[in-house]
């Protein structure tokens, strides 16, 4: 892949000289606040700040479904536009093959037409064709020249690569941007960043897991705090507060992947009271402790108080029945069976899920618990019913393929047939095309 060339530095005779003053007075050291702490700017500022130029940002969220980013806001002040022609070279973008895509998807009548516009491809979850089209729009005349045209297309390209499990390719292509903290990516008059916020967040993720990713999120969080301080209430301030919460959750996820569950728990605890619903925050804490294996602490967030029980003794028999009150809260209905399964009691998890409200995710979890309970034959019709209902998410497909392997000697034929059933579904915003690995082929 082409690398950006570093500008040649001037020789010693050509290098401009500067006079260094040795009588500067030292500035007092300022107290700093961590960018992910939830006290300030979530509290109202004591005095309104002076009016400044509006910040250029894109309202697109990285959460599914993926949508085409809006262009950067037009500036009323005229300024020379930086040259981003180095991002328009065809050699920067890798060709995408479909050799790992099951045949039913290649021949399906639901496959998109080559002339389908980019917004339609994104709306129906056709992420591979969308990635190809975005690269074509970046490299085919007439070439885009303005940052408002280039960077949204680049974001679509990189995000779609991640969504089709081609993150290594996305990381390589993102290297062409170089250091996005340089002045090249700042507006020469206002100092506003030219990259959409969502692209900047994605670049941190593509930079690599570990401490580098965490540090990148903290840098963005520091900027989000500053921008949130500027707002006098209203949608602009709420936008930056939401971005600050999102960055906090991304830090938690990165710490979990690093194996530092204690730091992840401390970070998530510090986000209490940042505007997130109490029940949602408790469910996140419970899921985190389940993930790191601390079941005792997870229980304190799932069941703050012991569940109420009623004991009824019949007069005709000597049987005593104990009934546990079922909490219909959606978070608790999800978490209690997970806790039971983590404690090695799949039958209790099955009982809890069987009494829960109808929901695709809960039905899927019921099928998984049935498998752990040794009742894979009962799980198969449940999971197949979800697929026929259009809920063909990746975890469901993988688990159903596992059930086929447990229940039949002709599992491969069943898995190929499953791929054909999914290819026959219409496009959905969360993704239509699936790879061979999703079906364990």
């Amino acid at each position: 892949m082409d690398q950006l060339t570093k500008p040649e530095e001037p020789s010693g005779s050509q290098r401009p000289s500067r006079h260094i003053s040795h009588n500067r007075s030292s500035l007092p050291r300022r107290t700093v606040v961590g960018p992910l702490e939830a006290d300030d700017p979530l509290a109202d500022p004591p005095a309104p700040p002076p009016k400044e130029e509006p910040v250029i940002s894109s309202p697109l969220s990285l959460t599914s479904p993926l949508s085409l980013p809006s262009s950067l806001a037009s500036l009323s002040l005229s300024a020379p536009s930086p040259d981003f022609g180095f991002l328009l070279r065809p050699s920067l973008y890798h060709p995408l093959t479909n050799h790992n895509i099951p045949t039913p998807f290649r021949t399906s009548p639901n496959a998109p037409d080559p002339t389908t516009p980019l917004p339609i491809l994104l709306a129906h979850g056709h992420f591979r064709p969308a990635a190809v089209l975005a690269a074509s729009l970046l490299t085919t005349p007439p070439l885009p020249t303005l940052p408002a045209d280039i960077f949204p297309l680049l974001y679509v390209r990189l995000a779609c690569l991640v969504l089709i499990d081609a993150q290594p390719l996305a990381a390589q292509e993102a290297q062409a941007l170089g250091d996005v903290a340089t002045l090249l990516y700042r507006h020469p008059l206002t100092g506003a960043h030219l990259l959409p916020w969502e692209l900047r967040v994605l670049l941190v993720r593509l930079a690599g897991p570990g401490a580098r990713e965490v540090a990148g999120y903290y840098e963005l969080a520091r900027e989000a705090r500053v921008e949130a301080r500027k707002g006098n209430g209203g949608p602009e301030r709420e936008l930056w507060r939401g971005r600050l919460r999102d960055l906090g959750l991304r830090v938690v996820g990165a710490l979990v992947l690093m194996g530092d569950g204690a730091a992840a728990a401390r970070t998530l605890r510090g986000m209490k009271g940042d505007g997130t619903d109490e029940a949602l925050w408790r469910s996140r804490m419970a899921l985190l402790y389940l993930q790191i294996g601390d079941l005792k602490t997870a229980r304190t967030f799932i069941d703050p108080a012991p569940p109420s029980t009623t004991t009824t003794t019949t007069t005709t028999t000597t049987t005593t029945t104990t009934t546990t009150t079922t909490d219909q809260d959606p978070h608790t209905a999800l978490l209690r069976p997970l806790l039971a399964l983590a404690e090695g009691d799949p039958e209790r998890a099955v009982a809890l899920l069987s009494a829960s409200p109808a929901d695709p995710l809960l039905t899927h979890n019921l099928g998984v618990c049935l498998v752990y309970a040794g009742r894979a034959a009962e799980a198969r019709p449940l999971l197949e019913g979800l697929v026929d209902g259009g809920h063909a998410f990746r975890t469901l497909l993988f688990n159903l393929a596992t059930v086929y392997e447990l229940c039949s000697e002709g599992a491969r034929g069943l898995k190929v047939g499953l791929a054909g059933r999914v290819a026959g579904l219409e496009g959905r915003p969360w993704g239509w095309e699936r790879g061979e690995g999703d079906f364990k082929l």
Side-chain angles (χ1 to χ4, degrees):
M1 184 185 71
D2 292 346
Q3 301 290 337
L4 295 178
T5 57
K6 183 177 179 182
E8 297 182 359
E9 295 188 1
S11 61
S13 60
Q14 295 176 344
R15 183 172 299 173
S17 62
R18 60 178 181 178
H19 299 282
I20 302 177
S21 175
H22 298 281
N23 58 352
R24 295 180 180 175
S25 60
S26 60
L27 294 176
R29 183 179 181 86
R30 297 183 178 180
T31 303
V32 296
V33 181
L36 294 175
E37 295 181 12
D39 48 0
D40 183 47
L42 301 185
D44 293 331
K51 185 176 181 181
E52 299 190 6
E53 291 293 328
V55 178
I56 303 174
S57 62
S58 172
L60 179 68
S61 172
L62 267 178
T63 55
S64 184
L66 183 68
S67 57
L68 184 65
S70 57
S71 299
L72 301 177
S74 300
L75 296 173
S76 57
L77 300 175
S78 60
S81 178
D83 182 14
F84 295 108
F86 60 90
L87 297 174
L88 307 180
R89 300 196 304 269
S91 58
L92 293 178
Y93 304 101
H94 298 79
L96 301 181
T97 62
N98 59 358
H99 66 275
N100 62 336
I101 303 301
T103 303
F105 287 95
R106 304 181 209 170
T107 59
S108 172
N110 293 323
D113 187 88
T115 60
T116 305
L118 187 57
I120 302 299
L121 292 175
L122 297 175
H124 291 82
H126 298 294
F127 299 133
R128 185 181 300 271
V132 174
L133 180 56
S136 176
L137 293 174
L138 284 169
T139 58
T140 304
L143 298 176
T145 57
L146 299 177
D149 299 324
I150 295 175
F151 294 128
L153 288 174
L154 184 59
Y155 169 72
V156 170
R157 168 70 180 187
L158 299 180
C160 287
L161 289 178
V162 173
L163 290 171
I164 63 173
D165 294 331
Q167 183 164 330
L169 291 183
Q172 293 181 31
E173 295 182 4
Q175 292 177 3
L177 286 163
D179 185 4
V180 297
T182 61
L183 292 179
L184 174 64
Y185 296 100
R186 294 280 180 179
H187 191 273
L189 299 181
T190 66
H193 212 289
L194 297 177
L195 269 64
W197 177 262
E198 294 73 24
L199 178 56
R200 297 173 64 188
V201 174
L202 179 59
L203 291 176
V204 172
R205 175 181 175 181
L206 295 177
R212 184 176 182 181
E213 181 180 5
V214 174
Y217 290 140
Y218 266 84
E219 287 296 324
L220 293 179
R222 186 174 292 107
E223 178 180 340
R225 286 180 62 87
V226 172
E227 297 299 335
R229 250 189 230 109
K230 293 179 181 179
N232 281 328
E236 184 70 16
R237 186 179 181 212
E238 288 301 318
L239 173 66
W240 286 104
R241 290 175 65 180
R243 288 174 172 174
L244 190 60
R245 288 191 291 268
D246 173 71
L247 291 170
L249 293 176
R250 292 177 183 275
V251 168
V252 172
L255 291 172
V256 171
L257 292 178
M258 291 171 60
D260 196 345
R266 288 195 302 269
T267 303
L268 192 54
R269 281 183 181 272
M271 296 178 64
K272 183 179 181 180
D274 64 353
T276 305
D277 177 72
E278 174 75 13
L280 178 59
W281 176 80
R282 296 186 70 86
S283 69
R284 288 171 174 169
M285 291 296 300
L287 283 172
L288 174 59
Y289 281 109
L290 286 174
Q291 174 74 19
I292 63 180
D294 189 347
L295 305 185
K296 182 178 179 180
T297 306
R299 179 180 290 279
T300 63
F301 288 97
I302 298 173
D303 290 315
S308 60
T309 60
T310 59
T311 302
T312 305
T313 304
T314 63
T315 58
T316 57
T317 65
T318 59
T319 303
T320 300
T321 304
T322 301
T323 304
T324 303
T325 303
T326 301
D327 193 338
Q328 295 301 322
D329 176 73
H331 302 297
T332 306
L334 172 68
L335 294 172
R336 281 180 179 166
L338 293 180
L339 178 61
L341 189 62
E343 292 175 337
D345 192 351
E347 289 292 351
R348 183 161 62 93
V350 169
L352 290 170
L353 287 167
S354 299
S356 299
D359 179 84
L361 180 58
L362 296 180
T363 302
H364 166 265
N365 288 356
L366 174 58
V368 174
C369 291
L370 285 170
V371 173
Y372 277 101
R375 299 155 62 182
E378 299 177 45
R380 176 175 172 176
L382 286 177
L383 301 182
E384 288 179 336
L386 289 176
V387 173
D388 294 336
H391 304 288
F393 47 92
R394 287 185 168 181
T395 307
L396 167 62
L397 299 177
F398 188 89
N399 289 333
L400 182 52
T402 302
V403 170
Y404 287 154
E405 293 174 347
L406 295 174
C407 296
S408 174
E409 295 181 357
R412 180 170 181 83
L414 293 174
K415 291 186 285 187
V416 172
L418 176 61
R421 289 158 67 181
V422 176
L425 299 175
E426 295 182 356
R428 302 295 177 93
W430 51 84
W432 174 76
E433 183 183 88
R434 298 294 181 222
E436 292 181 342
D438 296 319
F439 303 97
K440 302 182 72 172
L441 290 173

